[in-house]
Amino acid sequence: MINISLTIEDAELFREYRQHQDTFQALYNAGVFTTKNGSATIDFDSQGVLQQIRLNTCVYRKEKKMV
């Protein structure tokens, strides 16, 4: 076991994280936090449970010439 010290604010943030850990892990595993040139759409059901993650990325875009 490892003992750590947290401020009250950090302890509250950690508690919030633990309540949403499964959702966070799914977002992390899907690559949401490392998405570049794109967007992520996340869908939740009526109970607030994550149902779907969609990533939309731009892999190529021709640059316009400046006049």
Side-chain angles (χ1 to χ4, degrees):
M1 178 182 289
I2 298 173
N3 293 318
I4 59 172
S5 297
L6 298 174
T7 64
I8 292 173
E9 293 84 11
D10 286 340
E12 288 294 321
L13 284 172
F14 183 71
R15 189 171 55 104
E16 288 289 322
Y17 163 75
R18 291 292 289 182
Q19 287 177 350
H20 302 285
Q21 183 174 349
D22 292 340
T23 300
F24 179 83
Q25 191 65 49
L27 294 169
Y28 180 83
N29 291 344
V32 169
F33 302 111
T34 57
T35 300
K36 305 256 191 290
N37 289 326
S39 61
T41 303
I42 54 176
D43 298 319
F44 296 90
D45 66 12
S46 62
Q47 304 300 313
V49 177
L50 179 64
Q51 296 297 306
Q52 185 169 284
I53 302 168
R54 287 187 299 271
L55 295 178
N56 181 23
T57 58
C58 180
V59 295
Y60 174 81
R61 184 167 100 191
K62 185 175 181 177
E63 291 188 34
K64 296 179 182 178
K65 292 185 179 182
M66 301 297 279
V67 180

